[in-house]
């Protein structure tokens, strides 16, 4: 008589992860809704739309706010469709860099991974600082909190510490926060919209909201009949909308913690964009209708939405709406760090980042604590220049975040298009429509990348007499610098040791390893009851 070990019960998600080469280390407990919630929270129309509203309004006017949002929303949906199909095939925390490594090579994965990581770090810093700006406006109304760059920075530091701390606990806590955040965002948008409709005594006309052009950029032209204005319109509308509509790769990064990830990660990614585009449009239209004075609003920049609410509805209403926004933006910051920590963990798991042993460490609650602290700290460090120059420092964070992420988004889409019919489809697929959808996505990202590189005003051109550091568009500097840094690192060193995703063992070895390590954790690998493997 011989004895054998009891059969190891695995879920379909665990089997999928084993086929991709990894053991189940993170805590798989998220539903499809909660996977959607984290991307919806990171997009956060109550964050990006409001912190960058001034950009679209002053660089194009209401027409850039409304129609610009629609145009960017359509383009972004094609990018999301293209990414969703790949996420379904490769549901791993590494997300984009894993996709590029498998569809291309280790080199493709290297560049995708680093642009994804620095993009996430840039977004973390930018969201945190935007939150501090709105919290300063709220606290100033409530308690006369000083409204200067140093006091904004104090709040920025405090929020970064708080949001990072939220990410070192059980993932069920951050998952619950994201679910609450989804309802908060929907309810918050509805409250703001109805307040903007009902409370003000005066509203702007339909022709103003959907047709008025404004150009306070410093460039010439005030209508589409002048070509410089068309460039201004693109800078404003894409600058506001595309900065907002990003970060939805979180659904892919959280796939190792999501049930039925092959479908849930894809649908969570896609629907977070679609719902955000609709909610953002309604929000922006309502705020623009509530503008109290066509001339007075043109003197406003950073605090333009606060001015609109306070002037058209009164201080108390402004306080209520600002509280809704500040809470939503804190949810957004917390989710950004969650997503960034999973990307850092996965990249470190394949030994791509310095200190990878620390970054890949998972706590007893199956949370990559060191990666969470790391991305939170780096996001804070990136925005330290705001202590001296808040405009230039904030532009660095937004340019690094938005441009870096969209470069990372589109590289695996290019590879998927190149793969053609040989691409292995997951539970969610574009079918034969992938060709034209991928092409539109690639063209769109190429287009917005060019727009992100343009100077935003004459004062941002070194050859102009009005030139100032405050007006420089830092995107070309940061992106070229990133290419030089990571390209040089690859050529001189990384190509010799980075081989892309590192398989941790055979399917059988991974299952055995998980069973052996189970007692080291305080929570199970998966809350879903596994089924016994098929008899062989």
């Amino acid at each position: 008589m011989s004895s054998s070990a009891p059969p190891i019960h695995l879920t379909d998600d665990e089997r999928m992860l084993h086929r991709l080469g990894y053991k189940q280390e993170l805590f798989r407990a998220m539903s499809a809704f909660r996977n959607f919630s984290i991307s919806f929270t990171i997009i956060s129309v109550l964050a990006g739309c409001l912190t960058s509203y001034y950009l679209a309004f002053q660089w194009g006017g209401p027409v850039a706010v409304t129609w610009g949002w629609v145009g960017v929303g359509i383009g972004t949906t094609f990018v999301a469709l293209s990414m969703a199909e790949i996420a379904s095939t490769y549901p791993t925390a590494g997300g984009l860099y894993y996709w590029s490594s498998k569809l291309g090579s280790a080199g493709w994965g290297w560049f995708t991974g680093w642009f994804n990581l620095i993009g996430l770090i840039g977004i973390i810093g930018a969201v945190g600082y935007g939150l501090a700006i709105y919290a300063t406006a709220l606290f100033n109304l409530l308690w006369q909190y000083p409204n200067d760059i140093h006091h904004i920075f104090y709040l920025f530091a405090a929020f970064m510490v708080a949001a990072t701390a939220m990410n070192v606990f059980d993932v069920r806590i951050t998952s619950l926060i994201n679910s609450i955040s989804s309802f908060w965002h929907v309810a918050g948008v509805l409250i703001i919209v109805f307040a903007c409709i009902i409370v003000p005594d005066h509203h702007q006309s339909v022709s103003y909201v959907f047709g008025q052009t404004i150009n306070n950029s410093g460039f010439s032209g005030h209508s589409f009949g002048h070509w410089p204005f068309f460039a201004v319109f693109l800078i404003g509308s894409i600058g506001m909308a595309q900065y907002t509509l990003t970060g939805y790769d979180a659904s892919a990064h959280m796939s190792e913690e999501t049930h039925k990830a092959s479908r849930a990660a894809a649908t969570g990614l896609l629907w977070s964009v679609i719902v955000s585009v609709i909610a953002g449009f309604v929000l922006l239209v309502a705020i623009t209708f509530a503008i109290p004075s066509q001339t007075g609003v043109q003197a406003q920049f950073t605090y333009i939405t606060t001015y609109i609410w306070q002037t058209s509805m009164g201080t108390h209403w402004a306080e209520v709406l600002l509280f809704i926004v500040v809470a939503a933006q804190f949810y957004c910051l917390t989710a950004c760090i969650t997503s960034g920590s999973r990307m850092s963990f996965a990249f470190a798991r394949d030994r791509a980042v310095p200190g990878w042993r620390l970054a890949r460490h998972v706590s007893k609650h199956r949370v990559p604590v060191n990666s969470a602290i790391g991305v939170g700290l780096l996001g804070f460090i990136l925005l330290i220049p705001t202590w001296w120059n808040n405009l230039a420092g904030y532009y660095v964070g937004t340019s690094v975040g938005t441009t870096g992420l969209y470069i990372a988004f589109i590289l695996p889409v290019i590879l998927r298009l190149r793969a053609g019919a040989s691409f292995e489809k997951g539970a969610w697929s574009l079918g034969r429509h992938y060709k034209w959808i991928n092409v539109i996505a690639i063209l769109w990202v190429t287009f917005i990348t060019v727009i992100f590189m343009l100077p935003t005003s004459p004062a941002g051109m070194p050859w102009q007499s009005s030139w100032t550091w405050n007006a420089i568009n830092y995107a070309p500097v940061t992106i070229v610098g990133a290419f030089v840094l990571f390209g040089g690192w690859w050529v001189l060193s990384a190509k010799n040791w980075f081989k892309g995703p590192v398989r941790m063992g055979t399917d059988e070895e991974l299952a055995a390893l998980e069973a052996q390590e189970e007692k080291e954790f305080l929570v199970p690998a998966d809350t879903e009851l596994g089924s016994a493997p098929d008899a062989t």
Side-chain angles (χ1 to χ4, degrees):
M1 179 182 293
S2 63
S3 61
S4 60
I8 298 173
H9 295 259
L10 299 174
T11 64
D12 291 338
D13 287 307
E14 288 174 314
R15 293 192 183 97
M16 168 67 81
L17 189 59
H18 292 174
R19 287 197 295 272
L20 298 176
Y22 301 120
K23 62 181 178 179
Q24 183 72 50
E25 295 180 86
L26 303 177
F27 182 35
R28 195 181 294 273
M30 296 177 68
S31 64
F33 174 74
R34 291 191 173 183
N35 181 282
F36 155 85
S37 294
I38 188 169
S39 287
F40 182 63
T41 296
I42 291 176
I43 293 174
S44 184
V45 295
L46 293 177
C49 283
L50 302 185
T51 56
S52 55
Y53 181 92
Y54 77 92
L55 182 60
F57 188 86
Q58 304 291 9
W59 275 257
V63 69
V65 172
T66 53
W67 294 119
W69 176 267
V70 172
V72 173
I74 293 171
T76 304
T77 301
F78 282 103
V79 179
L81 282 164
S82 300
M83 292 173 61
E85 181 181 46
I86 312 174
S88 180
T89 298
Y90 305 115
T92 69
L96 287 69
Y97 98 87
Y98 186 98
W99 307 347
S100 288
S101 296
K102 291 299 184 181
L103 293 171
S105 64
W108 282 89
W110 173 264
F111 282 98
T112 302
W114 277 110
F115 274 109
N116 195 188
L117 187 56
I118 65 169
L120 288 168
I121 290 170
I123 290 295
I124 288 169
V127 170
Y129 197 78
L131 164 60
I133 290 173
Y134 267 77
T136 298
L138 174 61
F139 295 168
N140 179 264
L141 291 179
L142 292 173
W143 307 300
Q144 289 77 53
Y145 182 81
N147 187 5
D148 59 69
I149 62 173
H150 291 155
H151 282 82
I152 293 174
F153 191 86
Y154 298 147
L155 287 180
F156 167 58
F159 284 129
M160 292 299 293
V161 171
T164 301
M166 295 299 295
N167 276 279
V168 303
F169 303 115
D170 192 321
V171 71
R172 286 172 291 192
I173 297 176
T174 51
S175 178
L176 176 61
I177 290 173
N178 289 325
S179 294
I180 294 172
S181 172
S182 291
F183 292 108
W184 185 274
H185 273 79
V186 172
V189 167
L190 291 176
I191 291 171
I192 293 173
V193 167
F194 280 111
C196 288
I197 293 173
I198 297 170
V199 179
D201 296 325
H202 168 75
H203 292 90
Q204 297 299 327
S205 65
V206 173
S207 61
Y208 176 85
V209 173
F210 293 101
Q212 182 66 36
T213 59
I214 293 172
N215 182 6
N216 289 323
S217 68
F219 291 114
S220 62
H222 291 273
S223 68
F224 289 106
H226 302 84
W227 73 263
F229 177 79
F230 190 72
V232 170
F233 166 82
L234 293 175
I235 291 170
S237 57
I238 291 175
M240 177 196 71
Q242 204 65 80
Y243 167 66
T244 303
L245 296 171
T246 193
Y248 45 89
D249 56 321
S251 288
H253 296 312
M254 300 304 293
S255 58
E256 289 185 32
E257 295 161 85
T258 302
H259 290 137
K260 298 179 175 58
S262 182
R263 180 172 296 277
T267 56
L269 188 156
L270 177 59
W271 279 103
S272 67
V273 171
I274 293 173
V275 175
S276 295
V277 169
I278 296 170
F281 179 74
V282 174
L283 175 68
L284 291 169
V285 168
I287 292 174
T288 308
F289 267 117
I291 289 175
S293 167
Q294 294 184 18
T295 54
V297 74
Q298 292 191 46
Q300 304 298 317
F301 283 83
T302 303
Y303 296 105
I304 187 170
T305 52
T306 302
Y307 163 82
I308 293 171
W309 294 339
Q310 189 173 11
T311 307
S312 64
M313 291 183 272
T315 299
H316 291 310
W317 268 106
E319 291 169 351
V320 171
L321 301 187
L322 282 171
F323 172 76
I324 293 172
V325 170
V326 168
Q329 292 185 6
F330 182 75
Y331 290 143
C332 175
L333 176 60
T334 303
C336 286
I337 294 175
T338 304
S339 177
S341 69
R342 272 47 176 191
M343 168 57 203
S344 174
F345 158 78
F347 214 24
R349 180 171 59 186
D350 291 325
R351 307 172 187 179
V353 300
W356 60 268
R357 288 183 178 85
L358 283 174
R360 77 168 313 284
H361 173 72
V362 177
S363 72
K364 290 185 179 296
H365 285 95
R366 297 183 181 271
V367 174
V369 171
N370 293 337
S371 278
I373 295 172
V375 296
L377 180 60
L378 290 172
F380 172 76
I381 291 172
L382 184 65
L383 271 289
I384 284 179
T386 57
W387 175 264
W388 299 281
N389 188 323
N390 63 333
L391 286 176
Y394 184 60
Y395 288 159
V396 169
T398 55
S399 66
V400 169
T402 309
T403 315
L405 280 183
Y406 270 92
I407 290 174
F409 286 3
I410 209 60
L411 291 179
V413 175
I414 294 171
L415 294 170
R416 188 271 172 267
L417 180 62
R418 188 182 73 173
S422 66
F423 177 76
E424 180 185 351
K425 297 180 176 64
W428 193 94
S429 170
L430 295 173
R432 59 186 174 84
H433 299 291
Y434 78 91
K435 292 182 180 179
W436 63 273
I437 291 175
N438 288 173
V439 168
I440 293 175
I442 293 167
L443 291 175
W444 175 253
V445 174
T446 302
F447 174 66
I448 64 171
T449 301
V450 172
I451 300 301
F452 280 137
M453 300 299 164
L454 298 178
T456 57
S457 73
M461 301 175 176
W463 56 89
Q464 296 286 341
S465 59
S466 59
W467 179 82
T468 172
W469 286 104
N470 284 346
I472 287 180
N473 179 3
Y474 288 90
V477 177
T478 55
I479 296 305
V480 171
F483 266 117
V484 171
L485 175 62
F486 302 129
W489 189 1
W490 173 259
V491 170
L492 297 176
S493 173
K495 69 178 182 180
N496 298 318
W497 49 264
F498 180 69
K499 305 303 179 184
V502 178
R503 187 169 185 85
M504 303 172 74
T506 65
D507 292 5
E508 294 76 14
E509 289 170 340
L510 292 174
L513 190 59
E514 289 169 352
Q516 179 183 339
E517 295 178 348
E518 185 73 23
K519 60 181 178 296
E520 299 177 9
F521 298 102
L522 298 178
V523 294
D526 195 328
T527 56
E528 182 179 293
L529 179 63
S531 58
D534 296 332
T536 58

